[in-house]
Amino acid sequence: MPEQLPQRHALIIMLEMQERTNRKVADDWVAKQFEWYRAIWIECAELMDHYGYKWWKQQHADTDQVQLEVVDIWHFGMSALFDGDKMPATIADEILADLAGPARESGVLEATEALAAHSLQSKGFSARLFRDLMFAAGLDFDSLYRQYIGKNVLNFFRQDFGYKDGSYIKLWGGREDNEHLMEVLAEMDSEAEGFADDLYQALSDRYQRLAMAVES
């Protein structure tokens, strides 16, 4: 079983990054009370599709895409935990309290359904049920942190290159930007100073070479 508790400072960093990302969409995003729970259960459905649930046809689990969906759920889950003027450090402590006690071992599909059901019933987010899904998908908190930073940078990149107004090109050279992100992440050291900035630049170079050059 992977380590069951994340480092508090890593949680704070991710919460602060998520807050900055959401501000790019709407400066008063907390007050708008977006339906984060809805995005969570829809991402759960997409995860199940990548994992494979159709007994009537041959399917193979796409582990990379499953883990990316887990990271996407984490984005929405953290966002759902912001309330009023609550600070990232306070939310981090609440997450750690929710994670108290042993994790429950479960299959990917079962853990996904449990999290989706909770989101629909409570219109909220359970860090404890998310942890069960994360472990089932083969992630630990260190790998979640690495992949979250990567996807957060991609989200910033999307906004900077026209995601909101519809001008962003999601397919680069016939492949989704998520796939390019995974390749670039595999080549980089997430512990290096300036990791996020270097990752952004690497994505920008690929995008301009494979997507924008074709459009022009």
Side-chain angles (χ1 to χ4, degrees):
M1 177 68 67
E3 181 184 350
Q4 293 184 4
L5 291 177
Q7 296 181 9
R8 183 175 183 269
H9 80 274
L11 283 175
I12 294 172
I13 289 171
M14 290 188 285
L15 287 160
E16 290 175 342
M17 291 185 73
Q18 190 60 43
E19 183 178 27
R20 289 197 298 271
T21 298
N22 292 347
R23 285 186 186 276
K24 290 182 75 70
V25 177
D27 191 58
D28 58 343
W29 66 275
V30 176
K32 287 184 178 296
Q33 297 184 326
F34 294 124
E35 291 83 1
W36 303 107
Y37 79 94
R38 187 171 296 149
I40 290 168
W41 73 258
I42 289 174
E43 292 290 345
C44 285
E46 293 179 5
L47 185 159
M48 294 180 75
D49 199 40
H50 287 302
Y51 187 78
Y53 65 91
K54 299 175 182 178
W55 63 88
W56 59 91
K57 62 181 290 187
Q58 185 178 29
Q59 291 188 292
H60 300 285
D62 187 336
T63 301
D64 285 344
Q65 289 300 312
V66 166
Q67 293 184 352
L68 279 173
E69 296 295 347
V70 171
V71 176
D72 283 344
I73 291 169
W74 183 235
H75 282 76
F76 295 123
M78 284 192 294
S79 299
L81 297 176
F82 280 85
D83 182 25
D85 296 326
K86 192 177 293 184
M87 301 299 292
T90 301
I91 301 172
D93 289 336
E94 292 175 350
I95 292 172
L96 290 171
D98 192 18
L99 294 177
R104 183 180 64 179
E105 293 192 39
S106 179
V108 171
L109 298 182
E110 293 76 14
T112 305
E113 288 168 341
L115 180 61
H118 177 276
S119 296
L120 283 167
Q121 292 166 5
S122 69
K123 295 189 177 180
F125 176 70
S126 167
R128 176 178 50 81
L129 292 176
F130 173 80
R131 175 185 60 184
D132 294 342
L133 171 58
M134 183 185 76
F135 287 172
L139 289 168
D140 58 18
F141 283 110
D142 286 342
S143 53
L144 174 69
Y145 177 76
R146 173 184 172 84
Q147 292 201 35
Y148 171 80
I149 298 297
K151 192 61 185 286
N152 186 273
V153 169
L154 177 60
N155 287 340
F156 261 92
F157 176 84
R158 286 170 169 173
Q159 293 294 329
D160 288 346
F161 281 82
Y163 202 69
K164 193 171 183 179
D165 65 22
S167 61
Y168 179 72
I169 305 165
K170 194 170 184 180
L171 292 176
W172 313 355
R175 298 162 62 212
E176 285 199 8
D177 54 7
N178 276 326
E179 298 178 67
H180 291 286
L181 171 64
M182 294 302 293
E183 285 188 1
V184 174
L185 273 176
E187 299 169 355
M188 301 186 70
D189 178 10
S190 60
E191 301 296 325
E193 185 176 354
F195 166 62
D197 291 338
D198 290 344
L199 176 59
Y200 185 101
Q201 186 60 52
L203 289 173
S204 178
D205 292 343
R206 278 201 181 204
Y207 184 69
Q208 294 181 64
R209 185 176 76 252
L210 297 175
M212 296 182 70
V214 172
E215 288 294 307
S216 62

